[in-house]
Amino acid sequence: HDSAIFVVAGNAGVGSGLIATQIAGVGLIARIAPAELRARVTSLLLLDRALAQLLALPLAAIAQGIGLTTLFPILGVLCVVTVLVLILAASPAVWRSPLAAKGSP
C-alpha cells in the first residue's frame, strides 16, 4: 500500500527522536550527577520509557473499542485544556491582569 511508506517513515522518525532524547538525557546525567549516583539516576531515566509503554495500555484498549479517529481528537482537546489549566494555575497573574495595558486608549 502507498500509506505503508508513510507509516514506516513516521515510525523511523519517532524512533530516532526517542533515541536522541535518550542519548541526550544520559549525557546530561553523566555531566551533572555525582559519580556515586549516576547509575541510579540513569536507571530511573530509562525506566520512564518502559512505564510510558505500560501506561499506554489502557488508552490502547479504549482506542480498540471506540476507534482511533474518535479517540485522537478527544485526546488532543484534553491535552490543550490540560496545558491551559496548568498555565493558568501556575500563574494567576495571567488571568487577573487586564487585557489592555495601563495607559492605552
Side-chain angles (χ1 to χ4, degrees):
H1 299 302
D2 293 333
S3 64
I5 294 171
F6 295 113
V7 171
V8 171
N11 281 330
V14 169
S16 299
L18 287 173
I19 289 169
T21 59
Q22 195 166 354
I23 290 171
V26 171
L28 284 172
I29 288 172
R31 176 101 171 133
I32 295 171
E36 60 271 7
L37 296 177
R38 223 171 265 153
R40 291 182 185 146
V41 175
T42 303
S43 66
L44 288 175
L45 173 74
L46 300 178
L47 186 62
D48 81 323
R49 305 291 174 164
L51 289 176
Q53 301 278 330
L54 288 175
L55 293 175
L57 279 175
L59 275 179
I62 293 169
Q64 186 71 30
I66 66 172
L68 286 175
T69 56
T70 305
L71 183 63
F72 275 2
I74 293 170
L75 291 177
V77 169
L78 184 64
C79 286
V80 169
V81 168
T82 302
V83 167
L84 289 175
V85 167
L86 289 174
I87 288 171
L88 293 175
S91 179
V94 170
W95 52 270
R96 287 187 188 155
S97 64
L99 292 177
K102 291 181 180 179
S104 296

